[in-house]
Amino acid sequence: MQDVTKIMTVINAVDFGAFFDIVSPAIEIHPANYTAEVKSAFLQAVFDRGNLSSIKDTEFLLWLRVRLSPLLVDLSPSLVTPLFDIGKNRSCNSSQEIIAMLDTLHLTLSNDTKREVYKNTLLFLQGPMPLKCYSGGSFYTYLRNTFLSFGFPDLSTFISLLPRMRESELLSTISSSELRQFLSQPNVIGNNSDICVIFNNYNNTPTFLETEDVPDDVKKMTLPCVWSLALSSNSRSEADSWFDLRLRNYLRFLSKSLISPVKVQNASCHAFQKLVAVMGNNFTYNSSEFGESDVYTTVRTYLRNGTDATDGVRCYNASDAELNSTAWFVNNIGNFVKFIALDDFTFFVSTSQSEVFLEDQANLELFNNKAISEDVTELYILQLFTFNPTFSPMKLPGFFLCSSEVPGSAYSSLSENNTILILNKLKEFCNGTENAVTFAALTSNIQTITGEMFATLGSASAGLTTSQITSVAPSVLVSSLSTLSSVSTWNQEQATTIIQTITAAGFQINDRSSLESLGTLVAGVPSKSIEKIPASVLLNISKSSTFVSNMLGAPKVVQQTFVNKIISVDSSPAKVVMNVPDAMATEIPPSLLVFSQEMVDISVINKKEWTSDQAAMFFGILGEANIDVEQLPPSVLQGFTCSSVQRMRQTRIQGLIRACRPRRGRAKVELKESQLTCMLNLLNGNLSQNFTDYPSDMLLYFNNKDIKRANCRSYLSAVGAADFSVASRVLKKDSLLLSEARSCLGINGTKLSRDNVEVLGNMACTLNSSYIQNADPLILEKLKACNDLSDSQVDAMERMLLSGETKYGNPSTWNKQTLENLGLLPLYFTRNFWGQFQSQTKKRFLRTFNPQLRGSRTEKRKLKVLFEEISAQKTKRGAGCTVGNITQVTVSDASFPFGYDRVQFDLCLDIPVLKDNLLSICEKVDDNDFQKVILMKLNQAFPLGISDEKVQVLGSVSRVASLDDISKWNITKLDTLAALMDADGGPWEAAKSKAIISKYLNTSGNSLGSTELNSVGSNLCSLDSSTLMTITPDSIRSAKPLDVTSCSSEQKKVLYEISNSSFSALITSPSAYYNLIKPFLGGASLEDILKLSAQNISMDIATFQSLDPNVIDVLNVTNVRGLMGFQLQDLKLFENDTVIRDWVNLQSQSDLDSLGVGLTTNRTNLTTAPSGSNNSTDTTATTAVSTATPTQGSTGGSTATTAVTTAQGSTSGSDAPMTIITEATTQGRTSVSDAPMTITDATTQGRTSVSDAPMTITDATTQGRTSVSDAPMTITDATTQENTSGSDATFSTSAATTQANTTSGGAELAKHPTSIFLSILLTAVLQILQQPA
């Protein structure tokens, strides 16, 4: 190489031509003799000194083609640029000749050299005069011919070669196939945005997209570039071309960004509608980064936010042939309609054009989709019939017929043939959905009911009126039982009518076959008919789950009769439990559930439904049973009582308590207050800090000392799940727990944070309005769980809701869904709240809310208030019926009678309609004034008296009847009595219930049997004592526990005597006896209560409070300890209760201290205590007093009251210290011996005569008697101490009461020695007379 340099140095530059004319051909002939380095040295010399840049093109081409050509073989990369430099300023032909020459040698060139050639070629094209050599034609071909084999620019470079002002011009010279070739090159596209430059300037894009196929990655990058072109289509045909042809193979590469509202918002209506169609019908979402819901978001945004809307609706123009289709929902929402929300639909149909949209058949079919939200479909139908009340239901698609929003009036005008067609559609599409309004309307079109028609009607038969049913021949009813027996929605009146009709015609209900054939109609079989069926037949059919399920739909009195018949087969407890169906076990009398350990099968018991009273009877056997208490069902666990568990091991008791804790997926174990305090007492302070291990309600009774300060929050959270209404008001648990919560959670003032509300849970139900108003809106969710709410709480809730600052939004946006989302709270709201809703919205809501309330047995008083608050203003009288005549269809609507006031209800309700739909009307009408209208019309309809069957369906309407109304009722049947006494109808006034029960008893053969007692319930207390005395012990024994709390003392005593006789056989089983006798203990004598105190029964506090006050006053601490056992601690808990406080104040502090529960008396004389005490250790005899009862039936009115007088320190009998407290009342009496008196605290110490004996004479009352011996009195604990004569012997009688007449001298006194009685009596009289005036 150095030799070449030396040679070339000595050669003159002007001689280079001649030199290379010799050397170059030699190199070409003998290339092997010349290395690449030699050739490179020659070329370098030429480039350095040859001055080729200044020669003419012809000479340059000579140099290039002849002299330099052999030297270019294996050209070094470093010499490429010098080579291109000598052609820079030459003609296009010369410049391109360099590239062409190198192309012929490309096989000899290294890759580095080729890259240098490509680089310099590119620089050539980008020179001071870009594209100076381009003379037209395909720009792509030009570049191909320029770069030849040295590569081709990628897209980014390609774009850089296009002068900004000539982009469109040059690109348009490229054919679609050339563009495909270019774009199909590997890795040609580096930057996605570059490709958009191509399509933004390429005038043949549609053809390219339609005809050319490019790799998927190119398609994916191309789509965003052409998407806006597709969306701007200004005609339907153009949009079709874009989506059906041009983008056919590109749409699968759509991204979430491309279908976003931002991208689509400005699309033309034609393109938008085409997009909706394609994305809804032809797009596969499996591998897409977005879903159908994302598309719907874009759809709703486009339709709601457009600025090009006509008459409020986008993409509809009645004057545009391409946009005037009334199938607006199909065209603009399409299959995405399943995502449509109520708010969106409300917006779409609020336009002036929506009426024609709703009636369009294509739209109707589009919404005939179960995937669409039910509230949207309902609103569609509602709006459809609002705009066009005469719209034919024959045009409705299948699923629309299932909606309750189709008005009954739409069906009422159908022909019988069309009615049958609709019935068949209902069977096809509605899958058992039963709409009472629809059925009532359709059946009203049937003129003649045959067996075939019953088959066609199927479940719609429940829409028949009683008059329609009675018009059917009994033989048709019997032959159609296979259909009628499967209808699940018969009401009681219909079922009874059918049964009466077929039995009157001779149908016998006396065996399994006939009972099974009735199916659901068994609910109409009267109890008397059940009573007549052989018990063996009923026992046999009770094994059928289908029959039992149907029987559960019958009235309670029928169920009880059915169960009693089964029990009569074998009344042994084990057999009773085995034979009675599981779901009907609640009808078993508790007295038949006294098991021995050997008799019971726990697995059988666990399968059955029980009441707490029943479960308490057998709960004690769980103590020794080999069972997993965690598996015991709630109905068994609710039998936990202190009486039933007192013989159990502590570990078993703890396990049972824990089993009652709240558990996910299990019903709550419902426990009464006495059970909860019993559990706490039994745990005896051994409490865990894991509060969820206990029943939530039990936590209400925890003391501060039971909760570690660090755990107060977890305690509050756990107790927040409790039912605060369980705790007695006297305990003031609400205020106490709130105080603890304020301290624990750091609550200041009345403001409650979201966290506070979350922790407090159900405590929200106890908060006053100040807390509610200042709480986080989450409190509304907590208040939904409350059993009741006060007026002030409701006011606070309404204020919060009306503020618009809750999740329920501004009141202007409220709708039916809002009401449904509020749960049970609407039950309590006032007109302030209801005024925010249109009448139609309220009516639609009530169609679901009313059945919900009635199904949960909501108190009638609450239903009455709801109707009053939700109803509109009253209409004026005199306008006639303006709201609409009340028909069978009207009363079938669950919202009935909403929309009517008292005047309209009276004017619009015709008597024939009332008679035909009495049950349906009575079930739904809660307003007192409306109910009085019903009774008035019934009296008009039945002037000679209302039959048992009609009276049975009155329900709560019966409560507004007058005694005169009741006198016109037939109440001869047990079913009628039971129906009238049903507590769900509301409470009875005593006079009315007495009239009803007496009317029943006046019917020959009727008595107060066990079923009657179960039916009458607490209304038993309205009867006279003489009537109660007719109850037999067997009736009490076979009845459920009776509620006698409202009975008088006299009535309680009567009932106690009977019940005591009923259960006396169980006296050796204290727990069982106590559980059965417990409801009647308010009538028990002191003697019987004292006997109980020795039986270890653990009497609950509520029962103790219910005892006769005169008995309670005489009980001492020993007696009470014996009675209450494990419940003794409850005396302290309830110390502020009047009954407990009064008893405590009768006791001495020392005696109370012996109880160890912390009770304090306010009694100042600490040396005396009630006479029931037998543990006195000093020389002071103690006596007790019970209130002296005023005399009755006296002939005079004077009353003498003796003041309290105490004499102390005396040495004679007359000076004996005593306290005399009397209300000595004489009414028309002739001697002091007639005066009722009470002598208390008569105490002698060291006395020498019987006259000194301390004594108590209580409740001594005379009624018009003429001698001392006639005076009824109680002498208790008369005791002498340190006596010197036999006459001074201690004398004690408990609750010995005499009620003697003038001839007998008193039966009770006969029990005592006359001499003792006279001495005591004489001493008492003398002491009274010797007191100073």
Side-chain angles (χ1 to χ4, degrees), residues 18-133:
F19 176 77
F20 282 103
D21 283 340
I22 298 170
V23 174
S24 292
I27 294 173
E28 189 172 12
I29 295 171
H30 303 288
N33 296 333
Y34 301 88
T35 64
E37 289 77 6
V38 170
K39 289 184 285 186
S40 294
F42 283 134
L43 280 174
Q44 189 63 56
V46 172
F47 295 155
D48 290 342
R49 298 174 54 218
N51 197 25
L52 297 183
S53 299
S54 60
I55 62 176
K56 295 181 179 179
D57 283 347
T58 53
E59 188 175 354
F60 171 76
L61 290 175
L62 173 64
W63 268 94
L64 184 63
R65 293 169 182 171
V66 178
R67 297 169 183 164
L68 296 182
S69 177
L71 302 178
L72 297 178
V73 175
D74 297 325
L75 180 65
S76 169
S78 61
L79 297 176
V80 173
T81 298
L83 175 62
F84 272 80
D85 285 344
I86 61 176
K88 259 184 186 178
N89 298 315
R90 297 194 175 277
S91 66
C92 290
N93 185 49
S94 298
S95 300
Q96 290 172 333
E97 188 70 23
I98 296 174
I99 301 171
M101 174 62 68
L102 293 173
D103 184 60
T104 62
L105 303 173
H106 75 280
L107 295 177
T108 70
L109 303 180
S110 67
N111 289 335
D112 289 340
T113 301
K114 292 177 181 178
R115 279 192 288 273
E116 285 298 313
V117 173
Y118 171 81
K119 178 180 176 181
N120 280 275
T121 302
L122 193 60
L123 291 172
F124 163 69
L125 293 172
Q126 295 173 333
M129 297 179 61
L131 305 182
K132 65 177 183 178
C133 295

Side-chain angles (χ1 to χ4, degrees), residues 658-911:
R658 186 173 187 276
C660 294
R661 72 190 183 280
R663 284 185 270 178
R664 188 182 302 275
R666 288 193 54 159
K668 179 182 178 181
V669 180
E670 298 292 343
L671 299 168
K672 301 184 182 72
E673 183 170 57
S674 60
Q675 295 170 295
L676 299 165
T677 58
C678 164
M679 290 178 172
L680 190 62
N681 295 337
L682 288 169
L683 292 173
N684 196 26
N686 184 22
L687 299 172
S688 163
Q689 295 297 292
N690 187 7
F691 303 111
T692 54
D693 276 351
Y694 302 113
S696 301
D697 295 351
M698 190 184 98
L699 300 175
L700 293 169
Y701 303 93
F702 273 41
N703 293 315
N704 279 334
K705 63 182 179 59
D706 299 325
I707 306 155
K708 295 179 180 178
R709 178 66 182 178
N711 298 330
C712 67
R713 180 183 173 91
S714 60
Y715 165 73
L716 290 171
S717 181
V719 80
D723 177 1
F724 282 69
S725 66
V726 169
S728 298
R729 289 189 177 182
V730 70
L731 303 182
K732 299 181 179 179
K733 285 295 181 181
D734 48 358
S735 58
L736 292 173
L737 285 169
L738 178 59
S739 177
E740 291 179 25
R742 289 174 60 88
S743 173
C744 174
L745 302 178
I747 298 172
N748 295 313
T750 58
K751 188 173 182 61
L752 299 177
S753 68
R754 186 177 185 86
D755 179 69
N756 294 155
V757 173
E758 193 66 67
V759 172
L760 295 180
N762 291 344
M763 197 185 297
C765 301
T766 71
L767 299 177
N768 64 36
S769 57
S770 297
Y771 282 100
I772 294 174
Q773 277 186 258
N774 291 293
D776 184 273
L778 177 66
I779 199 169
L780 292 172
E781 310 311 307
K782 303 301 179 183
L783 292 169
K784 291 178 182 179
C786 302
N787 294 327
D788 204 355
L789 294 165
S790 69
D791 291 344
S792 61
Q793 287 176 315
V794 173
D795 179 68
M797 286 194 298
E798 288 183 338
R799 289 175 183 273
M800 178 177 286
L801 284 166
L802 292 171
S803 73
E805 296 177 358
T806 71
K807 74 175 187 177
Y808 301 98
N810 190 284
S812 63
T813 66
W814 289 352
N815 52 33
K816 174 173 170 275
Q817 188 62 53
T818 306
L819 292 170
E820 291 175 348
N821 292 342
L822 284 166
L824 279 178
L825 294 183
L827 173 63
Y828 303 97
F829 289 145
T830 70
R831 294 189 180 191
N832 293 334
F833 172 84
W834 290 114
Q836 308 300 318
F837 296 89
Q838 295 181 350
S839 178
Q840 186 63 249
T841 302
K842 292 187 284 188
K843 184 171 186 177
R844 293 175 62 225
F845 170 65
L846 288 175
R847 285 178 181 152
T848 54
F849 195 53
N850 278 345
Q852 178 186 348
L853 294 176
R854 300 187 197 286
S856 60
R857 302 175 69 179
T858 302
E859 294 176 73
K860 283 294 178 181
R861 67 174 179 85
K862 293 183 180 181
L863 296 178
K864 292 176 187 292
V865 172
L866 170 64
F867 182 79
E868 181 180 350
E869 295 297 329
I870 198 174
S871 295
Q873 296 296 317
K874 305 287 190 289
T875 56
K876 294 181 180 180
R877 180 179 289 276
C881 176
T882 58
V883 178
N885 288 325
I886 296 173
T887 66
Q888 177 197 5
V889 175
T890 311
V891 301
S892 297
D893 191 323
S895 67
F896 178 79
F898 178 76
Y900 292 87
D901 60 17
R902 192 266 179 207
V903 172
Q904 285 296 301
F905 184 75
D906 185 6
L907 293 172
C908 298
L909 178 60
D910 294 329
I911 289 178

Side-chain angles (χ1 to χ4, degrees), residues 902 906 909-912 914-915 932-946 965 968-969:
R902 192 266 179 207
D906 185 6
L909 178 60
D910 294 329
I911 289 178
L914 176 63
K915 292 170 62 178
K932 289 175 182 177
V933 170
I934 293 172
L935 289 176
M936 176 191 70
K937 291 181 180 286
L938 278 178
N939 288 332
Q940 295 172 6
F942 304 103
L944 299 180
I946 303 175
D965 290 328
K968 300 172 185 176
W969 295 351

